[in-house]
């Protein structure tokens, strides 16, 4: 028997699997499981008919380049369309500053490859997106967390951490942020904070990776398009690398996303992408491009927004009804996620066993923290299950929380003075 451990590089030996992907694997094993774990779009919102029409015309055989290798940069008409999409978001980017990627996840991986040396510091929000954590960890970065307020990253903590890390002689590769409806908290960074963050980055000479897959999915009862203005839109000195994706607005199965960055950075990312996959699938790019060109995407956005807004309302009402003030959350103003805080003595890692026994699953808060903490927090994705499944899933989850509280209350009562679990900031 070969000991394959010895075959792996030291980087491979320390690679971590995505906690969310692990949860996704449970689906087949637990009958009738209701999953609030993955941030999947609602499948009934996919534009099946339009995709079919577009695919048929793209695959007519009249253009042999459709199934040929394509340029690493991306399908040129799509790159030009992206320049227009970006300009509608306030970002002026030329085709030389744009790179199509195979999902934003690839953009995170390429970013890691071109900016991180082993041991470089990557500054991340506490909590932050697990896909960012895995990509940066795989490049052997040291991830350092920065606190968040209700309107986004805590700028004082950010400065404190930056000064501390540099004083210790560590190189800061970049700061990674998700300003629009953050994954996992749903928090929307205020416009004022975005401005101050840019000023801070210029003062401290730090690159910002801005990841924005959810910006178009604001809920118009509490937010407007203007509230989601990308940081990149006001980046005058080329300090921001902007990532976005068609995964949440068209469909993640196409794996089409993009980066907009200063030309010198885009060129370097392109070289890294050559080694990763030569090019993003040409068929996927053409379908997404045609879907955009025919106006399907623009016409559907209001429907997507109102659908997810309604899903959010169903989840928040169900949580309030089932758990009263045993649960709280920052109001999601868009996106797919609700960041639930249960009473401090509920540890959401431990609660998972009870939740699974009741056929409901979520992602425990610990998956999103780079400081290893366990907590009373959980990410509940309201995007994919139907309204009826959300209601039923919340009922199951509430029963699990109650059961956990009964047990922990009796154990606390049995051991007077026993400390509760640490609160999360
Ligand atoms: C913040 C964030 N970044 C990147 C991604 C990856 O998206 P893609 O499907 O474009 O790879 C996701 C997906 O959930 C996400 O939430």
């Amino acid at each position: 028997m070969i000991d394959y451990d010895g075959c792996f590089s030291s980087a491979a030996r320390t690679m971590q699997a995505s906690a969310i992907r692990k949860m996704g694997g449970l689906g087949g094993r637990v009958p009738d499981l209701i999953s609030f774990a993955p941030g999947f779009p609602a499948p009934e919102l996919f534009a099946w008919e339009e995709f079919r029409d577009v695919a048929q015309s793209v695959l007519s055989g009249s253009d042999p380049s459709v199934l040929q290798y394509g340029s690493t940069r991306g399908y040129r008409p799509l790159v030009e369309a992206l320049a227009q999409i970006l300009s509608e978001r306030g970002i002026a980017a030329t085709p030389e500053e744009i790179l199509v990627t195979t999902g934003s996840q690839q953009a995170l991986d390429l970013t890691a490859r071109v900016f991180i040396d082993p041991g470089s510091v990557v500054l991340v929000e506490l909590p932050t997106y697990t896909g960012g954590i895995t990509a940066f960890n795989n490049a052997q970065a040291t991830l350092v967390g920065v606190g968040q307020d209700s309107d986004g990253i805590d700028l004082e903590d950010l400065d404190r951490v930056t000064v501390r890390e540099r004083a210790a002689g560590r190189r800061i590769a970049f700061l990674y942020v998700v300003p629009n409806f953050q994954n996992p908290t749903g928090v929307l960074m205020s416009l004022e904070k975005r401005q101050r963050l840019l000023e801070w980055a210029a003062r401290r000479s730090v690159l910002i990776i801005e990841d924005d897959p959810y910006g178009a999915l604001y809920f118009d009862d509490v937010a407007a398009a203007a509230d989601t203005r990308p940081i990149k839109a006001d980046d005058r000195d080329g300090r921001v690398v902007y990532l976005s994706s068609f995964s949440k607005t068209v469909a993640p199965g196409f794996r089409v996303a993009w980066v907009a960055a200063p030309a010198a950075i885009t060129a370097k990312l392109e070289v890294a992408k050559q080694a990763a996959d030569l090019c993003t699938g040409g068929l996927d790019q053409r379908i997404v491009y045609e879907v955009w060109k025919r106006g399907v995407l623009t016409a559907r956005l209001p429907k997507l927004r109102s659908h997810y807004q309604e899903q959010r309302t169903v989840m928040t009402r169900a949580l309030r009804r089932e758990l009263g003030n045993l649960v709280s959350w920052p109001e999601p103003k868009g996106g797919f996620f609700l960041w639930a805080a249960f009473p401090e003595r509920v540890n959401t890692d431990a609660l998972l066993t009870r939740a699974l026994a009741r056929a409901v699953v979520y992602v425990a808060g610990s998956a999103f923290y780079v400081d290893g903490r366990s907590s009373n927090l959980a990410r509940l994705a309201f995007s994919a299950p139907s309204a009826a499944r959300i209601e039923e899933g919340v009922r199951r989850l509430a029963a699990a929380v109650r059961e956990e509280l009964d047990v922990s209350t009796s154990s606390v009562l049995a051991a007077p003075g026993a400390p509760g679990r640490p609160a999360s900031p």
Side-chain angles (χ1 to χ4, degrees), residues 140-320:
Q140 300 186 286
T142 301
L143 273 69
V144 179
V146 177
Q148 276 193 85
D149 302 319
S150 57
D151 66 344
I153 196 159
D154 175 343
L155 290 170
E156 277 173 28
D157 195 33
L158 176 61
D159 198 51
R160 200 167 34 242
V161 168
T162 303
V163 169
R164 183 193 69 205
E165 293 300 316
R166 284 193 170 146
R170 284 189 277 271
R171 167 183 179 263
I172 294 182
F174 54 77
L175 162 70
Y176 170 68
V177 284
V178 185
N180 289 325
F181 321 121
Q182 199 230 17
N183 183 352
T185 60
V187 163
L188 174 65
M189 190 185 289
S190 68
L191 294 179
E192 189 236 334
K193 192 159 262 191
R194 293 174 198 228
Q195 210 53 50
R196 285 171 54 212
L197 180 58
L198 262 181
E199 288 158 17
W200 172 86
R203 199 166 61 247
R204 292 290 184 199
S205 194
V206 174
L207 274 183
I208 297 175
I209 309 297
E210 177 181 22
D211 189 6
D212 183 22
Y214 303 102
L217 300 177
Y218 52 88
F219 301 150
D220 62 14
D221 57 348
V222 278
D227 298 325
T228 68
R229 182 175 169 83
I231 298 171
K232 177 78 183 156
D234 298 302
D235 173 27
R236 304 278 164 259
D237 44 347
R239 197 166 286 291
V240 181
V241 176
Y242 178 82
L243 279 45
S244 192
S245 173
F246 289 110
S247 284
K248 314 297 179 176
T249 53
V250 179
F254 293 116
R255 310 305 300 130
V256 180
W258 69 96
V259 177
I265 292 178
T266 312
K268 193 59 89 180
L269 291 168
E270 181 182 0
V271 174
K273 183 174 163 67
Q274 287 168 359
D277 64 355
L278 298 178
C279 62
T280 295
L283 181 58
D284 287 341
Q285 293 188 68
R286 280 168 177 83
I287 292 177
V288 168
Y289 167 70
E290 281 294 327
V291 163
W292 172 81
K293 195 173 113 190
R294 295 181 188 192
V296 176
L297 172 56
T298 317
R300 292 178 73 83
L301 280 176
K303 190 170 168 204
L304 300 191
R305 288 195 273 267
S306 66
H307 180 87
Y308 293 123
Q309 178 174 320
E310 179 57 25
Q311 301 273 104
R312 177 235 32 206
T313 304
V314 170
M315 182 173 271
T316 52
R317 284 200 184 132
L319 282 168
R320 194 51 72 229

Side-chain angles (χ1 to χ4, degrees), residues 326 343 345-346 354 400-410:
L326 292 178
R345 60 185 191 277
V346 174
R354 283 186 205 286
V401 169
R402 286 231 165 70
E403 194 179 75
E404 175 79 7
L405 280 171
D406 280 352
V407 171
S408 63
T409 307
S410 43

